[in-house]
Amino acid sequence: MSNADALLAEANEERGKKSCCGGNRPHIERSAELYEEAAKSFKISGRHKEAGCAWKEYALALAVLEESKLDQFEGWASAGSSFELVAEAEGWSDSNTVKEMIEMLTQAHLVIDPARKMRTAELLEKLGQVSLKYAPMLAHDHGQKGIQQLEDAVAYYKEAANIRKQEGQNVKLSLIHI
């Protein structure tokens, strides 16, 4: 039995434990740590399917604990990436692996809350504003750099618009408004 297999077995055992008072939070916390260690160990040894399963259990444990959305995102995204590696190795022939990959990446997308997405959109818009504001100065001081700033500004605004559209906002992007 490899170290990763031992970690996974210990995590599964820990997850099922209950304390004398009926609570199991400390056991779920410990199982999350063990799942994360197992996932990393499986990844290092090239056992991507097992890594994906361990990352999935890690993310599920964090969700039960209502822990950091960012850590949950990392767990789901890592699981999706692991299953993607398996799907690629299998030549995309196993629909179950592809389905797992899609489910994990969907969970990663869902766990990032709308407020965080909207904050990202605001930051991208701010980058766009700053890029536009300083484009003439950079063009004057550095030649072509100003053109790059304009291209970057448009890219920032487009990315912000895409996030807002995904969140159901009606967005109309035109260079006239930029």
PDB file of all heavy atoms in Angstrom, residues 7 16 20 29 36 38 46 49 77 80-81 93-94 98 104 112 116-117 121 133 142-143 149 151 155 168:
ATOM      1  N   LEU A   7      -3.048   7.308   3.281  1.00  0.00           N
ATOM      2  CA  LEU A   7      -3.682   8.590   3.627  1.00  0.00           C
ATOM      3  C   LEU A   7      -5.164   8.581   3.296  1.00  0.00           C
ATOM      4  O   LEU A   7      -5.997   9.059   4.079  1.00  0.00           O
ATOM      5  CB  LEU A   7      -2.991   9.739   2.892  1.00  0.00           C
ATOM      6  CG  LEU A   7      -1.598  10.116   3.376  1.00  0.00           C
ATOM      7  CD1 LEU A   7      -0.913  11.040   2.370  1.00  0.00           C
ATOM      8  CD2 LEU A   7      -1.678  10.790   4.737  1.00  0.00           C
ATOM      9  N   GLY A  16     -15.736   9.108   9.032  1.00  0.00           N
ATOM     10  CA  GLY A  16     -16.855   8.377   9.630  1.00  0.00           C
ATOM     11  C   GLY A  16     -16.920   8.434  11.139  1.00  0.00           C
ATOM     12  O   GLY A  16     -17.912   8.012  11.730  1.00  0.00           O
ATOM     13  N   CYS A  20     -17.552  11.844  21.279  1.00  0.00           N
ATOM     14  CA  CYS A  20     -18.436  11.353  22.332  1.00  0.00           C
ATOM     15  C   CYS A  20     -19.706  12.195  22.471  1.00  0.00           C
ATOM     16  O   CYS A  20     -20.737  11.704  22.908  1.00  0.00           O
ATOM     17  CB  CYS A  20     -17.692  11.285  23.657  1.00  0.00           C
ATOM     18  SG  CYS A  20     -17.110  12.893  24.233  1.00  0.00           S
ATOM     19  N   GLU A  29     -12.649  17.928   9.719  1.00  0.00           N
ATOM     20  CA  GLU A  29     -11.497  18.796   9.471  1.00  0.00           C
ATOM     21  C   GLU A  29     -10.243  17.977   9.224  1.00  0.00           C
ATOM     22  O   GLU A  29      -9.488  18.243   8.279  1.00  0.00           O
ATOM     23  CB  GLU A  29     -11.281  19.742  10.663  1.00  0.00           C
ATOM     24  CG  GLU A  29     -12.308  20.836  10.776  1.00  0.00           C
ATOM     25  CD  GLU A  29     -12.193  21.645  12.052  1.00  0.00           C
ATOM     26  OE1 GLU A  29     -11.471  21.231  12.999  1.00  0.00           O
ATOM     27  OE2 GLU A  29     -12.838  22.711  12.123  1.00  0.00           O
ATOM     28  N   GLU A  36      -6.531  16.084   1.221  1.00  0.00           N
ATOM     29  CA  GLU A  36      -5.652  16.978   0.481  1.00  0.00           C
ATOM     30  C   GLU A  36      -4.258  16.369   0.330  1.00  0.00           C
ATOM     31  O   GLU A  36      -3.678  16.377  -0.763  1.00  0.00           O
ATOM     32  CB  GLU A  36      -5.563  18.337   1.186  1.00  0.00           C
ATOM     33  CG  GLU A  36      -4.690  19.335   0.441  1.00  0.00           C
ATOM     34  CD  GLU A  36      -4.596  20.672   1.154  1.00  0.00           C
ATOM     35  OE1 GLU A  36      -4.715  20.719   2.397  1.00  0.00           O
ATOM     36  OE2 GLU A  36      -4.367  21.676   0.463  1.00  0.00           O
ATOM     37  N   ALA A  38      -3.485  13.182   0.465  1.00  0.00           N
ATOM     38  CA  ALA A  38      -3.604  12.015  -0.420  1.00  0.00           C
ATOM     39  C   ALA A  38      -3.663  12.464  -1.876  1.00  0.00           C
ATOM     40  O   ALA A  38      -2.997  11.875  -2.741  1.00  0.00           O
ATOM     41  CB  ALA A  38      -4.838  11.195  -0.056  1.00  0.00           C
ATOM     42  N   GLY A  46       1.401  10.197 -10.303  1.00  0.00           N
ATOM     43  CA  GLY A  46       0.781  10.038 -11.612  1.00  0.00           C
ATOM     44  C   GLY A  46      -0.531   9.276 -11.595  1.00  0.00           C
ATOM     45  O   GLY A  46      -1.042   8.887 -12.643  1.00  0.00           O
ATOM     46  N   LYS A  49      -6.604   9.660 -11.549  1.00  0.00           N
ATOM     47  CA  LYS A  49      -7.997   9.328 -11.226  1.00  0.00           C
ATOM     48  C   LYS A  49      -8.191   9.313  -9.709  1.00  0.00           C
ATOM     49  O   LYS A  49      -9.156   9.875  -9.187  1.00  0.00           O
ATOM     50  CB  LYS A  49      -8.400   7.989 -11.831  1.00  0.00           C
ATOM     51  CG  LYS A  49      -9.882   7.723 -11.750  1.00  0.00           C
ATOM     52  CD  LYS A  49     -10.279   6.574 -12.644  1.00  0.00           C
ATOM     53  CE  LYS A  49     -11.754   6.671 -12.964  1.00  0.00           C
ATOM     54  NZ  LYS A  49     -12.120   6.003 -14.175  1.00  0.00           N
ATOM     55  N   ALA A  77     -11.592  22.508  -8.593  1.00  0.00           N
ATOM     56  CA  ALA A  77     -10.821  22.743  -9.817  1.00  0.00           C
ATOM     57  C   ALA A  77      -9.698  21.714  -9.966  1.00  0.00           C
ATOM     58  O   ALA A  77      -9.439  21.224 -11.073  1.00  0.00           O
ATOM     59  CB  ALA A  77     -10.251  24.163  -9.815  1.00  0.00           C
ATOM     60  N   GLY A  80     -11.243  18.505 -11.117  1.00  0.00           N
ATOM     61  CA  GLY A  80     -11.551  18.602 -12.541  1.00  0.00           C
ATOM     62  C   GLY A  80     -10.318  18.453 -13.404  1.00  0.00           C
ATOM     63  O   GLY A  80     -10.325  17.738 -14.418  1.00  0.00           O
ATOM     64  N   SER A  81      -9.228  19.087 -12.995  1.00  0.00           N
ATOM     65  CA  SER A  81      -7.965  18.988 -13.748  1.00  0.00           C
ATOM     66  C   SER A  81      -7.435  17.562 -13.741  1.00  0.00           C
ATOM     67  O   SER A  81      -6.917  17.077 -14.742  1.00  0.00           O
ATOM     68  CB  SER A  81      -6.918  19.932 -13.162  1.00  0.00           C
ATOM     69  OG  SER A  81      -7.328  21.261 -13.320  1.00  0.00           O
ATOM     70  N   SER A  93     -12.266   8.584 -24.279  1.00  0.00           N
ATOM     71  CA  SER A  93     -13.161   7.481 -24.645  1.00  0.00           C
ATOM     72  C   SER A  93     -14.100   7.052 -23.524  1.00  0.00           C
ATOM     73  O   SER A  93     -15.092   6.372 -23.781  1.00  0.00           O
ATOM     74  CB  SER A  93     -12.329   6.271 -25.097  1.00  0.00           C
ATOM     75  OG  SER A  93     -11.503   5.824 -24.024  1.00  0.00           O
ATOM     76  N   ASP A  94     -13.810   7.433 -22.285  1.00  0.00           N
ATOM     77  CA  ASP A  94     -14.651   7.022 -21.155  1.00  0.00           C
ATOM     78  C   ASP A  94     -15.567   8.179 -20.764  1.00  0.00           C
ATOM     79  O   ASP A  94     -15.131   9.174 -20.200  1.00  0.00           O
ATOM     80  CB  ASP A  94     -13.773   6.601 -19.975  1.00  0.00           C
ATOM     81  CG  ASP A  94     -14.572   6.097 -18.784  1.00  0.00           C
ATOM     82  OD1 ASP A  94     -15.824   6.092 -18.844  1.00  0.00           O
ATOM     83  OD2 ASP A  94     -13.945   5.714 -17.789  1.00  0.00           O
ATOM     84  N   VAL A  98     -15.157  11.836 -18.357  1.00  0.00           N
ATOM     85  CA  VAL A  98     -15.481  13.155 -18.896  1.00  0.00           C
ATOM     86  C   VAL A  98     -16.594  13.790 -18.067  1.00  0.00           C
ATOM     87  O   VAL A  98     -16.542  14.976 -17.724  1.00  0.00           O
ATOM     88  CB  VAL A  98     -15.868  13.063 -20.392  1.00  0.00           C
ATOM     89  CG1 VAL A  98     -16.334  14.412 -20.921  1.00  0.00           C
ATOM     90  CG2 VAL A  98     -14.696  12.543 -21.212  1.00  0.00           C
ATOM     91  N   MET A 104     -16.949  18.329 -11.759  1.00  0.00           N
ATOM     92  CA  MET A 104     -16.019  18.983 -10.837  1.00  0.00           C
ATOM     93  C   MET A 104     -15.783  20.438 -11.237  1.00  0.00           C
ATOM     94  O   MET A 104     -15.776  21.327 -10.392  1.00  0.00           O
ATOM     95  CB  MET A 104     -14.670  18.245 -10.793  1.00  0.00           C
ATOM     96  CG  MET A 104     -14.730  16.811 -10.277  1.00  0.00           C
ATOM     97  SD  MET A 104     -15.517  16.606  -8.679  1.00  0.00           S
ATOM     98  CE  MET A 104     -17.114  15.966  -9.166  1.00  0.00           C
ATOM     99  N   ILE A 112     -17.678  29.765  -6.490  1.00  0.00           N
ATOM    100  CA  ILE A 112     -17.239  31.162  -6.464  1.00  0.00           C
ATOM    101  C   ILE A 112     -18.497  32.027  -6.459  1.00  0.00           C
ATOM    102  O   ILE A 112     -19.259  32.052  -7.407  1.00  0.00           O
ATOM    103  CB  ILE A 112     -16.344  31.493  -7.677  1.00  0.00           C
ATOM    104  CG1 ILE A 112     -15.060  30.667  -7.611  1.00  0.00           C
ATOM    105  CG2 ILE A 112     -16.021  32.971  -7.733  1.00  0.00           C
ATOM    106  CD1 ILE A 112     -14.182  30.940  -6.420  1.00  0.00           C
ATOM    107  N   ARG A 116     -18.036  37.848  -5.392  1.00  0.00           N
ATOM    108  CA  ARG A 116     -16.620  37.804  -5.751  1.00  0.00           C
ATOM    109  C   ARG A 116     -16.448  38.003  -7.251  1.00  0.00           C
ATOM    110  O   ARG A 116     -15.524  38.662  -7.699  1.00  0.00           O
ATOM    111  CB  ARG A 116     -16.033  36.458  -5.320  1.00  0.00           C
ATOM    112  CG  ARG A 116     -14.617  36.532  -4.886  1.00  0.00           C
ATOM    113  CD  ARG A 116     -14.160  35.204  -4.375  1.00  0.00           C
ATOM    114  NE  ARG A 116     -14.666  34.969  -3.047  1.00  0.00           N
ATOM    115  CZ  ARG A 116     -13.946  34.482  -2.062  1.00  0.00           C
ATOM    116  NH1 ARG A 116     -12.707  34.149  -2.258  1.00  0.00           N
ATOM    117  NH2 ARG A 116     -14.463  34.309  -0.879  1.00  0.00           N
ATOM    118  N   LYS A 117     -17.352  37.409  -8.023  1.00  0.00           N
ATOM    119  CA  LYS A 117     -17.293  37.585  -9.473  1.00  0.00           C
ATOM    120  C   LYS A 117     -17.514  39.045  -9.840  1.00  0.00           C
ATOM    121  O   LYS A 117     -16.817  39.587 -10.693  1.00  0.00           O
ATOM    122  CB  LYS A 117     -18.340  36.715 -10.164  1.00  0.00           C
ATOM    123  CG  LYS A 117     -18.028  35.244 -10.143  1.00  0.00           C
ATOM    124  CD  LYS A 117     -19.125  34.462 -10.826  1.00  0.00           C
ATOM    125  CE  LYS A 117     -18.901  32.980 -10.702  1.00  0.00           C
ATOM    126  NZ  LYS A 117     -20.008  32.212 -11.270  1.00  0.00           N
ATOM    127  N   ALA A 121     -15.114  41.733 -11.769  1.00  0.00           N
ATOM    128  CA  ALA A 121     -15.535  42.558 -12.904  1.00  0.00           C
ATOM    129  C   ALA A 121     -15.207  44.030 -12.635  1.00  0.00           C
ATOM    130  O   ALA A 121     -14.718  44.737 -13.520  1.00  0.00           O
ATOM    131  CB  ALA A 121     -17.028  42.382 -13.167  1.00  0.00           C
ATOM    132  N   LYS A 133      -6.572  55.738 -19.356  1.00  0.00           N
ATOM    133  CA  LYS A 133      -6.125  57.026 -18.848  1.00  0.00           C
ATOM    134  C   LYS A 133      -4.650  57.270 -19.149  1.00  0.00           C
ATOM    135  O   LYS A 133      -4.253  58.377 -19.517  1.00  0.00           O
ATOM    136  CB  LYS A 133      -6.369  57.100 -17.340  1.00  0.00           C
ATOM    137  CG  LYS A 133      -5.965  58.416 -16.718  1.00  0.00           C
ATOM    138  CD  LYS A 133      -6.305  58.441 -15.244  1.00  0.00           C
ATOM    139  CE  LYS A 133      -5.881  59.754 -14.611  1.00  0.00           C
ATOM    140  NZ  LYS A 133      -6.206  59.777 -13.183  1.00  0.00           N
ATOM    141  N   HIS A 142       6.781  56.191 -24.652  1.00  0.00           N
ATOM    142  CA  HIS A 142       7.348  54.893 -25.028  1.00  0.00           C
ATOM    143  C   HIS A 142       6.905  54.380 -26.391  1.00  0.00           C
ATOM    144  O   HIS A 142       7.061  53.197 -26.687  1.00  0.00           O
ATOM    145  CB  HIS A 142       6.988  53.842 -23.969  1.00  0.00           C
ATOM    146  CG  HIS A 142       7.434  54.225 -22.596  1.00  0.00           C
ATOM    147  ND1 HIS A 142       8.743  54.199 -22.200  1.00  0.00           N
ATOM    148  CD2 HIS A 142       6.723  54.682 -21.531  1.00  0.00           C
ATOM    149  CE1 HIS A 142       8.826  54.598 -20.944  1.00  0.00           C
ATOM    150  NE2 HIS A 142       7.622  54.909 -20.514  1.00  0.00           N
ATOM    151  N   GLY A 143       6.308  55.195 -27.192  1.00  0.00           N
ATOM    152  CA  GLY A 143       5.920  54.766 -28.536  1.00  0.00           C
ATOM    153  C   GLY A 143       4.820  53.724 -28.540  1.00  0.00           C
ATOM    154  O   GLY A 143       3.731  53.979 -28.066  1.00  0.00           O
ATOM    155  N   GLN A 149      -1.422  49.448 -24.363  1.00  0.00           N
ATOM    156  CA  GLN A 149      -2.301  49.807 -23.257  1.00  0.00           C
ATOM    157  C   GLN A 149      -3.757  49.899 -23.714  1.00  0.00           C
ATOM    158  O   GLN A 149      -4.660  49.465 -23.004  1.00  0.00           O
ATOM    159  CB  GLN A 149      -1.876  51.138 -22.623  1.00  0.00           C
ATOM    160  CG  GLN A 149      -0.580  51.092 -21.865  1.00  0.00           C
ATOM    161  CD  GLN A 149      -0.642  50.152 -20.683  1.00  0.00           C
ATOM    162  OE1 GLN A 149       0.031  49.141 -20.673  1.00  0.00           O
ATOM    163  NE2 GLN A 149      -1.435  50.469 -19.706  1.00  0.00           N
ATOM    164  N   GLU A 151      -5.078  48.248 -26.259  1.00  0.00           N
ATOM    165  CA  GLU A 151      -5.519  46.869 -26.492  1.00  0.00           C
ATOM    166  C   GLU A 151      -5.816  46.168 -25.169  1.00  0.00           C
ATOM    167  O   GLU A 151      -6.800  45.435 -25.053  1.00  0.00           O
ATOM    168  CB  GLU A 151      -4.452  46.095 -27.282  1.00  0.00           C
ATOM    169  CG  GLU A 151      -4.327  46.562 -28.715  1.00  0.00           C
ATOM    170  CD  GLU A 151      -3.130  45.950 -29.434  1.00  0.00           C
ATOM    171  OE1 GLU A 151      -2.291  45.271 -28.787  1.00  0.00           O
ATOM    172  OE2 GLU A 151      -3.027  46.157 -30.657  1.00  0.00           O
ATOM    173  N   ALA A 155      -9.411  44.622 -23.735  1.00  0.00           N
ATOM    174  CA  ALA A 155      -9.476  43.246 -23.236  1.00  0.00           C
ATOM    175  C   ALA A 155     -10.040  43.208 -21.816  1.00  0.00           C
ATOM    176  O   ALA A 155     -10.867  42.340 -21.493  1.00  0.00           O
ATOM    177  CB  ALA A 155      -8.097  42.598 -23.284  1.00  0.00           C
ATOM    178  N   GLY A 168     -25.949  37.414 -15.361  1.00  0.00           N
ATOM    179  CA  GLY A 168     -27.303  37.801 -15.736  1.00  0.00           C
ATOM    180  C   GLY A 168     -27.519  39.285 -15.950  1.00  0.00           C
ATOM    181  O   GLY A 168     -28.658  39.733 -16.082  1.00  0.00           O
TER     182      GLY A 168
END
